[in-house]
Amino acid sequence: MTVPHALQRLAAPNPESLAAPPTAQTILAPDGALLEAWDADHVWHAFTQMQEYEPLLIERGEGATLIDTAGNRYLDGSASMWCNVHGHRHPRLDAAAIAQLGRVAHTTNLGLSNPTTVHFAKRLVEVAPLGLDKVFFSDDGSTAIEAALKMAFQFWRQCDPPQPERSTFVAIGEAYHGDTLGAIGVGGVDRFTALFAPLTFSAIRIPSPGMRCLASTPQPSLASHLEHVENIFRQHAKTIAALIVEPIVQAAGGILVHPEGYLRGLRDLTHKYNILLIADEVAVGFGRTGTLFACEQESVTPDFLCLAKGLTAGYLPMAATLTTSRIWNAFLGSHSDRRAFFHGHTYGGNPLAAAVGLESLNIFRDEGVLAQLTEKIRRLQQRLRPLADLKHVGDVRQRGLIAGIELVANKSSGESYDWREQRGMRACHAARKHGAILRPLGDVVAIVPPLCMSPEEIDRLVAAAEAGIREATAEAATGVMGDRLAQTPTA
Ligand SMILES: *Cc1c(COP(=O)(O)O)cnc(C)c1O
């Protein structure tokens, strides 16, 4: 039997002392080591090998800074998993949550409503691309996707005339749409999902046009990517229900940036072949790419717009699937027609989350958040530029306030590191010592600051990332040899 990892680090060498029930005093004021032990022993962390997990407990946040239980401060370089927008403990967001708590925290939206949620839906419609005037609330990015997939599927069964043979989805290679079964059916990051393939439906996949500069073979042109899509549409003209895409940047796939015109091209082709377009803006929505929504950059109104992460500025779990009157109308009828959308989540439309989401939109409006982004995006670009010259940096990709630094074993050949060496993870862990919390995507170090991060903080964040990268790439290969093509099961 192995001693739990966390226990080995405890000052008290006697593991039995921990088996005893905690006293009132340890609950009120447990020391850091005890909390870490409880964390490692009881909390099953997402996308984490618990046998190797090293606890780090964030106790407080202020603006773009996170503070651990020992009082160490870190810049929040992943925006607390790409969702923080205006910073932690923003006075207006805190006040909005508190004011809503004074009314009601939660009531159901199954056949019932709430003024705050109604206001929020109305405001979302006002800021979303024109034509998206129906809002279906759920609670996470994955559920926003599930709702869109099911709505699209049901739409074709209820439209006039019905086209029930339209039941296939087209998805982009290396796409990430969440971890529920429907979402992984259209996902393409195999290292996350291959195991579960037998449980999912299969989508038609088209290669990602995401540019990886280090690829030694020349990239297909935008026109040839779109031609490929059109061929697929032609071939399956009558059986495709919808195409799903992360507009402009595929985040979890490794910060893959699409060529300009790709999204517009997809919209034109989906119109031409009467295929629905689902835009997954869970990661890129709410200013991340420089505009409130990425779709705006190519003047696209999708049939479904999926929002989550930044929807409540990183405060509370909430998601929304926006759609058009055309879709909505196909679900109308008498209850006896059974045309309603039979889908819902217990916390859908939660008023507390809606209150914060609404105030976040007010902050966007009142504090010139988007106008200030231009300068920050340029600053990030300037600071990242020298990193491209590092010996083991194969590529630096950026769009808006989202960037990826790809680490490679050999810069001239573009050869990857053996994934088992976890260079990306090591770089991010090393950056902690330099005051930044970062999260890798394989060997890509992702830089995703809250939009509120100041230019000076961006400087410090990139400096910490660079220090982490230098440290993690200083040593030669650790002697792990074998199949370099195998995929890592960890993020
Ligand atoms: C994070 C993410 C999701 C899933 O959202 P969850 O809230 O984690 O379920 C879906 N799509 C994209 C593009 C994402 O980045």
Side-chain angles (χ1 to χ4, degrees):
M1 221 194 80
T2 56
V3 179
H5 193 65
L7 292 184
Q8 296 168 9
R9 276 190 316 280
L10 279 175
N14 178 10
E16 292 193 350
S17 64
L18 285 160
T23 63
Q25 193 172 3
T26 57
I27 287 174
L28 287 175
D31 70 20
L34 187 55
L35 269 177
E36 288 183 7
W38 289 347
D39 181 25
D41 290 345
H42 303 301
V43 184
W44 195 335
H45 290 264
F47 281 98
T48 301
Q49 174 45 261
M50 292 309 298
Q51 188 177 305
E52 297 172 355
Y53 171 66
E54 294 182 20
L56 173 61
L57 276 67
I58 300 300
E59 193 172 41
R60 283 177 297 134
E62 287 170 11
T65 299
L66 298 170
I67 303 158
D68 71 14
T69 43
N72 298 309
R73 300 171 74 87
Y74 311 86
L75 287 168
D76 187 356
S78 72
S80 292
M81 217 52 245
W82 314 345
C83 62
N84 194 280
V85 177
H86 309 297
H88 299 277
R89 302 226 43 218
H90 192 291
R92 290 181 60 174
L93 298 177
D94 287 11
I98 291 163
Q100 183 60 42
L101 281 173
R103 298 190 280 269
V104 65
H106 178 67
T107 67
T108 181
N109 83 344
L110 276 66
L112 209 64
S113 205
N114 170 272
T116 310
T117 307
V118 174
H119 273 124
F120 188 37
K122 179 80 169 65
R123 281 292 299 285
L124 280 173
V125 167
E126 284 165 14
V127 298
L130 200 67
L132 294 167
D133 47 13
K134 312 294 178 189
V135 185
F136 181 88
F137 285 114
S138 59
D139 39 26
D140 269 296
S142 308
T143 59
I145 300 297
E146 297 288 338
L149 296 173
K150 287 175 71 176
M151 278 178 183
F153 184 88
Q154 191 171 343
F155 168 80
W156 290 116
R157 274 140 197 84
Q158 298 179 178
C159 63
D160 187 24
Q163 301 185 42
E165 58 293 345
R166 285 194 184 266
S167 56
T168 309
F169 291 90
V170 179
I172 315 283
E174 294 170 84
Y176 177 76
H177 298 295
D179 296 326
T180 53
L181 292 174
I184 64 179
V186 288
V189 185
D190 287 346
R191 67 180 189 272
F192 298 161
T193 60
L195 174 71
F196 301 109
L199 301 180
T200 66
F201 58 83
S202 59
I204 298 171
R205 277 169 219 291
I206 51 182
S208 167
M211 288 179 286
R212 253 202 171 96
C213 303
L214 58 87
S216 38
T217 45
Q219 303 280 311
S221 66
L222 171 64
S224 70
H225 273 293
L226 291 174
E227 232 167 76
H228 181 76
V229 175
E230 180 152 23
N231 284 337
I232 298 274
F233 283 4
R234 235 185 256 121
Q235 226 176 305
H236 305 273
K238 294 283 174 274
T239 57
I240 297 172
L243 178 144
I244 179 166
V245 62
E246 295 160 82
I248 314 271
V249 181
Q250 291 180 234
I255 318 291
L256 304 178
V257 182
H258 291 173
E260 217 177 303
Y262 183 67
L263 182 64
R264 183 69 252 167
L266 290 182
R267 177 70 283 193
D268 294 343
L269 287 172
T270 48
H271 272 150
K272 182 169 168 190
Y273 290 87
N274 197 19
I275 288 165
L276 300 173
L277 179 67
I278 303 172
D280 176 356
E281 292 220 22
V282 171
V284 295
F286 299 97
R288 183 61 51 202
T289 64
T291 46
L292 193 61
F293 299 111
C295 279
E296 291 170 37
Q297 298 194 18
E298 307 209 347
S299 307
V300 160
T301 296
D303 297 287
F304 298 94
L305 178 67
C306 300
L307 305 172
K309 293 197 170 101
L311 180 66
T312 63
Y315 264 55
L316 287 154
M318 182 180 231
T321 304
L322 275 65
T323 188
T324 61
S325 300
R326 176 190 176 209
I327 302 292
W328 159 288
N329 289 340
F331 289 73
L332 300 180
S334 153
H335 68 278
S336 55
D337 298 336
R338 294 180 177 271
R339 294 162 69 91
F341 185 46
F342 289 108
H343 179 105
H345 295 277
T346 305
Y347 281 99
N350 173 262
L352 190 55
V356 177
L358 183 59
E359 190 63 1
S360 169
L361 289 179
N362 292 338
I363 294 170
F364 268 106
R365 180 194 62 202
D366 302 341
E367 299 187 4
V369 175
L370 294 174
Q372 290 167 41
L373 283 182
T374 319
E375 152 72 7
K376 295 179 186 192
I377 292 165
R378 198 181 315 122
R379 186 74 158 239
L380 180 60
Q381 196 176 10
Q382 280 168 358
R383 290 296 175 263
L384 283 173
R385 202 169 292 137
L387 269 62
D389 296 331
L390 296 184
K391 185 164 170 229
H392 289 286
V393 170
D395 189 25
V396 178
R397 300 183 281 274
Q398 183 200 354
R399 188 69 185 256
L401 277 190
I402 180 166
I405 305 158
E406 183 149 352
L407 310 182
V408 291
N410 184 316
K411 192 167 179 138
S412 44
S413 68
E415 186 195 0
S416 307
Y417 276 115
D418 186 314
W419 61 267
R420 283 163 295 191
E421 294 174 13
Q422 292 204 295
R423 299 281 179 158
M425 190 62 89
R426 281 155 63 182
C428 292
H429 278 210
R432 290 180 181 178
K433 288 182 302 206
H434 302 276
I437 300 283
L438 292 165
R439 177 113 191 126
L441 299 157
D443 279 340
V444 177
V445 174
I447 305 232
V448 190
L451 303 191
C452 72
M453 192 174 272
S454 72
E456 295 70 32
E457 287 172 325
I458 288 173
D459 294 354
R460 282 200 282 129
L461 179 62
V462 176
E466 175 175 349
I469 289 168
R470 283 183 186 277
E471 190 173 321
T473 57
E475 321 144 32
T478 47
V480 193
M481 297 303 287
D483 179 13
R484 284 182 184 277
L485 296 174
Q487 292 284 305
T488 171
T490 57

